Amino acid sequence: MYILGIESSCDETASAVVSDQKEILSNVIYSQIEEHKPYSGVVPEVAARAHLEKIDVVVKKTLADANLSLEDIDAIAGTCGPGLIGGVIVGATFAKSLAFAKKIPFIAINHIEAHALSVRLTEKVEFPYLLILASGGHCQICVVHDIDKFQILGRTLDDSVGESFDKVSKLLDFGYPGGPIIEKLYHEGDCERFSLPRPMCSKGNCDFSFSGLKTAVLNASQKCNSLQDRKDLAASFQKTVSEIMSFKMKQALDFCFDQGIKINAAVISGGVAANLVIRENLKKTCGLIQFLVPPVRLCTDNGAMIAWLGIEKFKRNQINLLDFPPRPRWPLGENFYARI
Ligand code: KG4
Ligand code: ZN
């Protein structure tokens, strides 16, 4: 079985063909970085227009790379939210139109759920598993009990972790996209130079907060006189975020242990999971517990994770009508909400 997945919720126009045998036949990503660079961040209207311009080219290339035609596709999975509504409308409408024209099933995908399940495309991991979901729009820790059953242990009270990378990069004048830029600067700066706060780390829960850390970086940046000073501050920020993530992972592991939740692995996914410093630290924190993470290219937005969740849902007969609405907000596991 082949599923075509289409993604357009933020600043990547992406699509992929994935088989139920976990084979990624093609995975095409058109990044809008150049369009948004002048503004040091994603501009929703610019994003929507760019999706509209590129979506047909991206999908055609996806089919060509897979050496398949639309006739070979069994179902279309399209991101219907959450995300920037203009982009979501473009991708979801394109996906539905293809499904309608070819008379094949349409599967409405929650983008966050796709990040959360993406690890199962490349790794053999059974439910339940512990997950830190860290992207540009979201930051939460949960136990994934099933494809649509998420027990939320904690979440950010303000910024997401990806957003804090982006904002810190912007305020230090290093530009967009912040995550990969700051990760690179970590190796060029002295991460011990600035002592930054680790908000919520004296509290024994799984919630995050990044706004105080961002303000601390802003204050420290006022004392930076040279490029090297700013690199040192970026490196110190990277180290601090990595420590926060590890601290919270430990809290969550302890919670699972105390509650008798027998997790099969600890996982991080979402764009920030591409960060090798964070990955290495989390691996150490997990000790003997199996630590899994999707390959770097499947951490940031892509069509393969959308197609994969399509397969997981299709196998369970979870298909949708074509009037499924595009949703700017769509909480993870809204039908199974258990917060500690
Ligand atoms: O999952 P994603 O591609 O889009 C959303 O669903 O939001 O995540 C994008 C976020 C951005 O904030 C970006 O700065 C961050 O992921 N990111 C990283 C890295 N690569 C992307 N953060 C830290 N280190 C990275 N290497
Ligand atoms: Zn994403």
Side-chain angles (χ1 to χ4, degrees), residues 112 114-119 131-135 267-274 292-294 298-299:
I112 308 302
H115 274 304
L117 274 290
S118 59
V119 69
L131 171 76
I132 297 187
L133 206 154
S135 71
V267 174
I268 182 169
S269 67
V272 178
L292 298 173
V293 58
L298 296 184
C299 288

Side-chain angles (χ1 to χ4, degrees), residues 111 115 135-137 162-163 165-166 178-180 183 270-272 274-275 299-301:
H111 178 92
H115 274 304
S135 71
E163 195 179 358
F165 269 100
D166 295 335
E183 181 177 1
V272 178
N275 190 292
C299 288
T300 46
D301 291 349

Side-chain angles (χ1 to χ4, degrees), residues 38-311:
Y39 310 99
S40 297
V42 180
V43 182
E45 182 58 28
V46 172
R49 281 166 199 265
H51 285 305
L52 197 54
E53 267 171 32
K54 284 285 184 287
I55 194 143
D56 55 338
V57 183
V58 166
V59 171
K60 271 186 195 150
K61 180 162 167 42
T62 302
L63 290 168
D65 287 0
N67 216 1
L68 294 174
S69 80
L70 269 179
E71 315 303 322
D72 304 308
I73 301 296
D74 296 286
I76 313 268
T79 300
C80 285
L84 301 174
I85 194 64
V88 171
I89 289 173
V90 171
T93 309
F94 196 88
K96 289 175 188 175
S97 307
L98 286 181
F100 178 71
K102 289 291 154 193
K103 298 187 174 56
I104 53 178
F106 167 71
I107 304 155
I109 299 293
N110 177 320
H111 178 92
I112 308 302
E113 204 174 319
H115 274 304
L117 274 290
S118 59
V119 69
R120 282 166 54 90
L121 170 55
T122 49
E123 304 284 349
K124 194 168 164 24
V125 51
E126 301 298 332
F127 301 115
Y129 57 87
L130 181 64
L131 171 76
I132 297 187
L133 206 154
S135 71
H138 293 81
C139 183
Q140 46 195 322
I141 304 189
C142 55
V143 179
V144 185
H145 288 281
D146 205 338
I147 66 166
D148 47 8
K149 290 192 173 58
F150 300 88
Q151 180 180 6
I152 311 289
L153 308 188
R155 55 159 55 100
T156 182
L157 305 183
D158 39 59
D159 292 347
S160 76
V161 57
E163 195 179 358
S164 71
F165 269 100
D166 295 335
K167 286 181 177 169
V168 162
S169 180
K170 187 174 176 179
L171 77 86
L172 292 178
D173 228 6
F174 287 123
Y176 160 88
I181 293 174
I182 295 211
E183 181 177 1
K184 183 168 167 282
L185 293 170
Y186 173 76
H187 302 285
E188 298 172 20
D190 173 4
C191 68
E192 304 293 342
R193 166 101 183 270
F194 292 88
S195 166
L196 296 169
R198 300 188 311 162
M200 310 285 293
C201 286
S202 55
K203 294 216 162 64
N205 65 24
C206 298
D207 286 332
F208 298 89
S209 166
F210 291 101
S211 67
L213 173 59
K214 184 189 61 194
T215 306
V217 173
L218 177 65
N219 292 339
S221 72
Q222 276 142 18
K223 291 171 217 133
C224 289
N225 297 316
S226 66
L227 173 61
Q228 192 56 49
D229 285 347
R230 289 188 291 124
K231 285 186 177 178
D232 292 347
L233 187 48
S236 303
F237 169 78
Q238 162 76 80
K239 173 180 167 263
T240 306
V241 172
S242 177
E243 286 170 356
I244 294 170
M245 305 304 280
S246 290
F247 180 87
K248 293 295 173 178
M249 176 67 99
K250 176 82 176 58
Q251 295 290 320
L253 289 170
D254 288 350
F255 172 82
C256 292
F257 184 75
D258 291 346
Q259 298 290 314
I261 304 170
K262 292 198 170 51
I263 52 161
N264 290 303
V267 174
I268 182 169
S269 67
V272 178
N275 190 292
L276 300 182
V277 183
I278 293 175
R279 289 159 84 116
E280 273 164 31
N281 242 332
L282 287 178
K283 191 170 169 39
K284 278 186 215 146
T285 304
C286 288
L288 294 177
I289 293 158
Q290 173 169 233
F291 173 67
L292 298 173
V293 58
V296 169
R297 77 197 158 91
L298 296 184
C299 288
T300 46
D301 291 349
N302 63 85
M305 69 179 191
I306 305 300
W308 173 248
L309 182 52
I311 287 170

